Amino acid sequence: MTQTEIPGTSTTTSVRVVDCDVHPTPRRGALMEFLDPKIAREAKLKGQGAENGLYYDPPDYHHSKAMRVDAFPDDGEFACSDPTLAFQQLVLDSGSDLIMLGPTSGGMGDTDEEVTAMAAATNLWQDAAWLNREDNWHGRFYGSICANITEPERAALEIEHWAGHEKFKQVLIHAEPRPSWGHPKYDPIWAAAVKHNIPVACHLGRGKHNLLPMSPVGFMTYNHDFMVTYSMLAANQVMSLIFDGVFERFPTLQIVFIEHAFSWILPLMWRMDSIHAARGNETGLSKEPSQYVRDNIWFTTQPLDYPEDKLELTRAFEWMQADKMMLFSSDYPHWTFDEPRWLAKHIPDQMRDAVMYQNALDLFGLPSQVPALPGQVKAF
């Protein structure tokens, strides 16, 4: 994508950190003005306790909803509902220069109708509450076009509607719906993304009912194995994208897996290449499976699987060529937040610039220079 510069003062600074996983949250009732009245009425009933969609409680959920306790604003609203506080904690205090917003509200709902409506409302809310001139005066926030993958045609229309917006830089979908992404039914989404040269990102979600993520041997017992299962889900989507020919049909499509971990991708690449070589090219691929991963797929750094021996992590980064497929992410405002200054120390020196900012600048077409902010911490 063509890079654009943010207008600013005569004093500018180079971008050193792009955070690719930040979750803004609507204030209570903020989405209602953007929702269809029927969906708004149902959402109000759920808010009063008509339905509880929580599965597999994460640590300390009852106390802080698995969020950083200091991310809750003083007015009693939810964590990351205040753009000013998020700007202070992410940009000024932690050193991230640009922020990719990935609101989880865009995937909420029990029916396709609800999810599509919530995605559309979330996009309108981002534009009105986070990307407007008043709350985004600094130009550091960029949004995600939330789209309901289970209704591909309507999702494509949502992409078409927002793709020309200068602050929306990626499409955001979920990985849970069946069938897998290689099915041609999803082609309208990929086609719209490719048409506008905008990446498609997928953030892990809990799913609903028959879409609740599960292992090949059934549902999990604890939050621990539930979280690990997300990597298995992503692995299956990677294989579907490759072997079902999505990247043959859309060679320039870029897919970003947010918060699905990444250390598993190297052995998966080895295994796919081995099977492809042994069985012959019955799938009609024009490249080795691993090459599609390097050409078309990205992963965010959080969660960072940190072994006791740091050299093992360094070797893993080098073996998987992390500088060609990794994007920094903090997962703010969750309790699993990765501080940029901490994360940067664990990236091999020769890969640090690519992972912390350059890959994101190139992938999303973000500005390489931004107006300097007095008092901003530098991550590295």
Side-chain angles (χ1 to χ4, degrees):
M1 304 178 73
T2 302
Q3 291 188 358
T4 57
E5 299 297 329
I6 295 176
T9 65
S10 58
T11 303
T12 62
T13 185
S14 296
V15 171
R16 299 289 289 171
V17 178
V18 179
D19 189 340
C20 296
D21 184 26
V22 169
H23 307 298
T25 302
R27 293 175 177 271
R28 284 187 288 267
L31 289 182
M32 296 304 173
E33 65 177 292
F34 303 113
L35 274 173
D36 177 276
K38 173 188 175 184
I39 305 300
R41 183 172 59 254
E42 294 173 355
K44 182 178 180 180
L45 290 173
K46 292 177 182 180
Q48 295 172 347
E51 185 260 358
N52 183 350
L54 179 64
Y55 308 100
Y56 305 105
D57 292 6
D60 202 27
Y61 189 86
H62 179 72
H63 173 59
S64 62
K65 311 299 182 185
M67 303 291 159
R68 281 177 46 169
V69 293
D70 64 345
F72 290 83
D74 293 338
D75 60 8
E77 291 288 342
F78 199 73
C80 202
S81 60
D82 182 357
T84 301
L85 179 59
F87 170 72
Q88 177 70 45
Q89 294 183 331
L90 285 166
V91 178
L92 296 182
D93 296 347
S94 294
S96 287
D97 294 302
L98 300 176
I99 306 297
M100 293 294 296
L101 304 174
T104 57
S105 58
M108 293 179 177
D110 292 322
T111 65
D112 284 345
E113 180 184 26
E114 289 181 357
V115 177
T116 295
M118 288 298 291
T122 297
N123 295 333
L124 290 166
W125 163 76
Q126 283 182 89
D127 186 40
W130 283 76
L131 304 179
N132 61 79
R133 292 183 180 275
E134 180 179 353
D135 294 292
N136 197 24
W137 59 268
H138 42 75
R140 305 304 180 99
F141 294 149
Y142 288 87
S144 298
I145 304 172
C146 297
N148 180 13
I149 190 173
T150 60
E151 293 194 319
E153 296 290 348
R154 296 186 68 179
L157 291 176
E158 194 70 15
I159 296 170
E160 290 286 347
H161 179 75
W162 291 103
H165 193 296
E166 64 176 357
K167 291 297 183 180
F168 280 99
K169 292 295 185 179
Q170 69 179 4
V171 177
L172 187 62
I173 61 173
H174 280 172
E176 291 79 18
R178 301 175 180 87
S180 59
W181 287 350
H183 195 285
K185 68 175 286 186
Y186 303 121
D187 281 4
I189 296 176
W190 316 137
V194 168
K195 173 184 175 182
H196 295 284
N197 194 25
I198 186 169
V200 179
C202 168
H203 189 276
L204 59 83
R206 291 186 177 275
K208 290 281 189 175
H209 312 305
N210 64 310
L211 297 181
L212 182 68
M214 59 187 289
S215 75
V217 292
F219 292 109
M220 290 68 66
T221 307
Y222 298 104
N223 178 266
H224 297 70
D225 42 339
F226 181 74
M227 294 302 294
V228 173
T229 300
Y230 283 121
S231 296
M232 300 167 60
L233 178 65
N236 279 275
Q237 295 291 22
V238 167
M239 289 185 286
S240 179
L241 288 167
I242 293 172
F243 291 123
D244 290 329
V246 171
F247 296 130
E248 291 292 328
R249 300 196 294 276
F250 305 98
T252 61
L253 177 64
Q254 300 294 302
I255 300 289
V256 182
F257 284 95
I258 302 173
E259 211 174 320
H260 287 81
F262 58 87
S263 55
W264 49 268
I265 190 59
L266 182 62
L268 180 66
M269 292 163 68
W270 288 343
R271 184 61 173 158
M272 289 191 297
D273 284 355
S274 177
I275 293 296
H276 183 251
R279 296 294 182 91
N281 194 18
E282 63 183 12
T283 57
L285 300 182
S286 60
K287 298 182 285 191
E288 284 189 323
S290 62
Q291 193 57 49
Y292 292 100
V293 176
R294 302 194 189 285
D295 292 344
N296 301 90
I297 295 177
W298 302 84
F299 300 91
T300 59
T301 56
Q302 202 287 328
L304 180 67
D305 295 330
Y306 190 72
E308 185 174 344
D309 183 352
K310 183 184 175 182
L311 285 176
E312 294 179 359
L313 179 62
T314 299
R315 294 190 191 100
F317 279 128
E318 293 173 345
W319 289 341
M320 67 183 289
Q321 299 180 45
D323 56 327
K324 294 181 173 62
M325 63 174 66
M326 295 294 300
L327 307 166
F328 167 71
S329 64
S330 72
D331 194 29
Y332 178 90
H334 292 106
W335 68 281
T336 49
F337 173 76
D338 279 351
E339 174 73 42
R341 288 171 290 183
W342 176 83
L343 195 285
K345 295 177 182 178
H346 301 295
I347 306 294
D349 291 347
Q350 70 276 18
M351 298 181 173
R352 186 171 297 135
D353 289 354
V355 173
M356 296 302 294
Y357 66 91
Q358 191 60 56
N359 285 343
L361 297 185
D362 295 339
L363 178 63
F364 300 114
L366 301 173
S368 59
Q369 295 283 321
V370 290
L373 295 168
Q376 181 187 14
V377 165
K378 292 300 180 183
F380 65 100

